[in-house]
Amino acid sequence: NTINPRDSVPRQAPILPLAGVRVVDLTWVWAGPYGSMNLAHLGAEVIRIESAKRPDHFRRSPFYPDGVEPGLDSSGMFNQWNQGKSSVAVDLANPAGIELVLKFVASCDVVIENFAAGVLDRLGLGYDELKKANPKIILASISGFGQSGPYRQYMGYGPSAIVMTGLSHATGFSDGPPEEFGPATADPTGGITAAWGIVTALEKRDRLGEGDYLDISLWEASAVLGIEGWMHYALTGTEPPRQGNRDETMAPHGCYPCIGDDEWVSIACACDEDWCRLATLIDEDLEKDARFASLIDRKQNEDMLDEIIGDWTSVRDRWEITHELQSHGIAAFPSLSTADVINDPNLNEWGYIERLDHPVVGKRAHTGIPWRFSRRPNGVRSSAPCLGQDTDRLLEEILGMSPGEIGRLRASGALGDMNN
């Protein structure tokens, strides 16, 4: 037998794409933490800088598991969006705390924050100051309306950004006013945009040796979600009509009631052939009904069409309908509740629903990473941190401080943990 020389060479274990990248995370609430969480999922070491004196709003949000005492470490909202990170407690109102942050910056690659425009400069942590500590630093600032321009000082939250994209104006029933788009979609959209920008900035830094300053606005990051409305206006010069669950180019296209309490199934027929297959399943004579022969006919008689389909679905199980229609090539799927998502067998089998142990709340279901590597480790690496749980360890490991120095910092009030 011959030996392949390559087999005798130790192979390096596959590592995550951002392994070795260190991030100082100054974010809170949703947009910023969502962005830094995805950096952690990609392998970066993400160090949250936070304080018990002014804790993250999500740490204070009343989403506590049953049977768990409310507290800064038990909110489900915080524990969902801060998986994979560590936590260092620092009081940013204390000058010594600011100096501590700058020392961390000197040894890191990225700073990400989502304060209101101008706050970072007022703290003494603006881009110019960060560059003094680390000339190659990459700073990503997420705000409602950017760091410059006439709207920079306006308060910006996810819902306000969405209404400024045209999405709310296009959302609603045909005979009603504009409606809220739903959740604050601009927050995670802004966060993932920041994460992508940071990845490209890291690649640029590796090539050119230069840092960067990324200015991400929730408004711009979420405007792309309204592309259909924008194209409608560009091509026709008119605003897209509000149409509820319906679609201009498909009929039927809607959400229909099923057996059970608030159980629904969505059905969409993209062409006449789809409709013919659905019509035959509902009633063999329905396929020959002239009122529904073409898309134009179906749109003209859409109220009657939806009533017929709703009568058919209302006495059937949503999953039985889904399996039957999918087997005939018709797009259909239940409208899933949160409980449906958490308990979905496919999502659990794929590992998307994570149940990592947490020191305060135990094992709770959280959404995980929506991608899978083929040659690298998968899965969330750790649950969300308790406030300040890594303070002493990282001050020692990264900044080389002794226990005595850390004790004096704590006594001075520079560490914003529970002991201050």
Side-chain angles (χ1 to χ4, degrees), residues 165-203:
T165 64
L167 286 167
S168 294
H169 193 271
T171 299
F173 292 102
S174 58
D175 57 350
E179 299 282 354
E180 284 196 25
F181 189 61
T185 313
D187 283 310
T189 302
I192 200 67
T193 300
W196 173 243
I198 288 168
V199 169
T200 61
L202 286 167
E203 190 276 335

Side-chain angles (χ1 to χ4, degrees), residues 28-323:
W28 65 340
V29 195
W30 195 4
Y34 188 81
S36 56
M37 180 189 69
N38 279 280
L39 297 177
H41 289 343
L42 288 168
E45 177 188 9
V46 178
I47 303 169
R48 280 189 58 83
I49 303 294
E50 52 181 338
S51 171
K53 294 182 178 179
R54 192 175 182 183
D56 189 321
H57 177 70
F58 273 2
R59 281 199 181 273
R60 295 174 278 138
S61 296
F63 299 99
Y64 308 114
D66 291 338
V68 174
E69 183 177 350
L72 295 180
D73 297 320
S74 54
S75 172
M77 286 294 281
F78 180 88
N79 291 339
Q80 167 63 57
W81 306 119
N82 290 278
Q83 297 174 93
K85 307 176 188 180
S86 56
S87 173
V88 172
V90 177
D91 183 4
L92 297 183
N94 189 312
I98 298 297
E99 288 302 316
L100 205 57
V101 173
L102 290 172
K103 289 179 180 179
F104 273 110
V105 169
S107 66
C108 78
D109 303 278
V110 175
V111 174
I112 180 171
E113 60 95 12
N114 64 318
F115 297 126
V119 168
L120 210 63
D121 287 317
R122 292 196 293 273
L123 287 171
L125 295 172
Y127 186 47
D128 290 339
E129 294 301 318
L130 298 182
K131 283 195 297 182
K132 292 177 184 177
N134 184 344
K136 295 183 180 180
I137 196 67
I138 295 167
L139 170 62
S141 293
I142 308 171
S143 62
F145 305 107
Q147 303 297 311
S148 61
Y151 295 168
R152 67 182 296 269
Q153 296 296 342
Y154 285 4
M155 296 299 293
Y157 297 95
S160 64
I162 286 294
V163 300
M164 296 182 69
T165 64
L167 286 167
S168 294
H169 193 271
T171 299
F173 292 102
S174 58
D175 57 350
E179 299 282 354
E180 284 196 25
F181 189 61
T185 313
D187 283 310
T189 302
I192 200 67
T193 300
W196 173 243
I198 288 168
V199 169
T200 61
L202 286 167
E203 190 276 335
K204 173 188 172 185
R205 185 204 62 180
D206 291 345
R207 284 189 297 107
L208 304 178
E210 301 174 356
D212 212 339
Y213 184 17
L214 310 178
D215 179 5
I216 300 99
S217 77
L218 301 184
W219 189 13
E220 293 170 288
S222 54
V224 67
L225 301 177
I227 185 62
E228 288 189 33
W230 289 41
M231 290 303 298
H232 189 287
Y233 182 79
L235 294 173
T236 69
T238 61
E239 293 287 341
R242 288 186 287 276
Q243 51 192 333
N245 290 323
R246 292 176 175 176
D247 186 271
E248 286 189 293
T249 61
M250 288 184 272
H253 186 286
C255 198
Y256 304 93
C258 302
I259 285 179
D261 182 20
D262 202 25
E263 305 277 325
W264 301 80
V265 66
S266 294
I267 301 173
C269 290
C271 58
D272 291 341
E273 289 75 17
D274 285 357
W275 161 244
C276 289
R277 289 192 292 271
L278 176 60
T280 301
L281 292 172
I282 295 174
D283 186 328
E284 291 185 359
D285 293 331
L286 189 58
E287 181 187 354
K288 305 170 187 176
D289 195 319
R291 294 174 299 173
F292 312 124
S294 68
L295 173 63
I296 294 175
D297 296 321
R298 293 193 295 277
K299 292 299 290 185
Q300 289 176 344
N301 298 283
E302 199 159 15
D303 288 342
M304 179 60 68
L305 177 66
D306 283 343
E307 183 178 341
I308 292 171
I309 297 173
D311 289 342
W312 180 74
T313 60
S314 64
V315 294
R316 288 169 171 77
D317 176 79
R318 58 181 181 158
W319 281 106
E320 290 180 1
I321 295 170
T322 296
H323 297 322

